[in-house]
Amino acid sequence: MPAASASNILSFEDARRAIEAQAALVQAPGNEFVELLAAAGRVLEEQLLADRDLPPFPRSTRDGYAVRSSDLTQLSATLDVIGEIKAGEKLDNLPASIGSGQAVSIMTGAPVPAGADAVVMVEQTTRHGDHVEIARSVSTGENIVPRGAEAQRGKVLVDRGDRLTDAALALAASAGKSRLQVYKRPRVAVLTTGDEIVDVGATPGPTQIRNSNSYSLAAQILGAGGQPVLLPVAPDEPQALRQLIELGLKSDLLLLTGGVSMGRYDLVEQVLSEMHAEFFFTGAKIQPGRPVVFGKCGADQHGAGAPAREGATAPPVGTYFFGLPGNPVSTMVTFELFARPILEALSGQSPHKLIFLHARLKSEIRVKTGLTRFLPAVLSGEFADSQVELVAWQGSGDIAATARANCYAVIPPDRGHIPAGDWIAVMLR
Ligand code: AMP
Ligand code: MG
């Protein structure tokens, strides 16, 4: 039985848990090969293995002298310099082994020769012709990264489901991968609703509003690794709304905006329940974004839903949808909190927790208790001195104030007053 009419309003934490539980069940829509650079920001579908030890030889991390630490136990020692090794030096050119009382001049990134077990920085030495004077002791292993210490051949460098960050790309390059197998980007349909909404190219009448939500959502979808598919604006009329929802359900994820509040023309939940959707929640105790709806609509359920999704492999799994509240800041916040983890799962990304930073509050906050709040704020300062301050705003329709914010201040539901100077959680935007 669809639980549509029974409202199910969860705390923020419970709503997140519901999302995480569903995210764990999601299947990504296939894979593709892309060039190394095009893989930046994508999610790896294969395991990236080290094709050789990293580093492949004991690497000097300094310009200096390769030495035997046992020669340097006195206050000062003078060693014979028997040669020089630069980065990329052929193995044949290395001395067979350096003996007691000997040193080799060595450059950063060069292989440390056999016999040596430490490198002394050039700054700590004095060269006299064929000799070098070193007035300090060194410990075994100093300034040398042993062969394979960073990764041994065959070891997993980047795992399936990891996003390809700058460091991951660097690892792929050092493992000789010029192409990578990544997950396909899921297609995310965006369906904005409302009789008052006109698109950006149209001239709005005096009481009409331009559609901004489709564009903020498209930007968020792109940032989270999805491909936005913008549908036409749906009127507040069940028949037309249903047709567009059916179209949207052919994508890998459907995001609706507007039409989920208590107004007479808020039809999204009603139409989705007529389509036998399953609702995981129909609201969250947050602000902004309270009326947010999360559910799934079976592709062929009861013969009443949308046709099966193109290229769908698994049995009728249905399509996840979100009814995001229409107020633009609510739309942005609820995407971040709830839609993003599902989209990331559809992108093949391994689940991860929502991480908040912490900063000192600049001016006190007074709010009503009972809701977890995500209020547009400015994080400033640097090093240990970060401070956060709410931006003045006109509520969840105020995109101008939100554009001036660089984060959301996170206020837990039990705190009605937070004095200036307290540490609070902050979610970057
Ligand atoms: P609703 O959730 O449909 O009640 O809409 C809440 C508020 O958000 C109303 O003021 C709408 O005009 C506004 N709104 C809804 N959809 C959009 C949109 N796509 N772009 C800009 N504002 C919107
Ligand atoms: Mg509306």
Side-chain angles (χ1 to χ4, degrees), residues 352-371:
H352 58 92
K353 294 286 174 193
L354 192 59
I355 294 173
F356 296 140
L357 308 178
H358 285 82
R360 220 179 260 286
L361 188 61
K362 220 167 168 177
S363 321
E364 67 163 6
I365 295 178
R366 284 179 193 277
V367 287
K368 281 202 194 114
T369 55
L371 300 175

Side-chain angles (χ1 to χ4, degrees), residues 55 57-66 84-89 104-113 119-123 142-145 150:
F57 50 83
R59 180 178 66 212
S60 173
T61 62
R62 301 284 183 197
D63 297 319
Y65 291 89
E84 181 186 277
I85 305 173
K86 55 187 199 308
E89 194 76 80
V104 169
S105 167
I106 194 165
M107 311 302 148
T108 302
V112 176
V119 170
V120 185
M121 290 165 71
V122 70
E123 295 88 334
E142 198 170 313
N143 298 323
I144 297 175
V145 181
E150 293 162 353

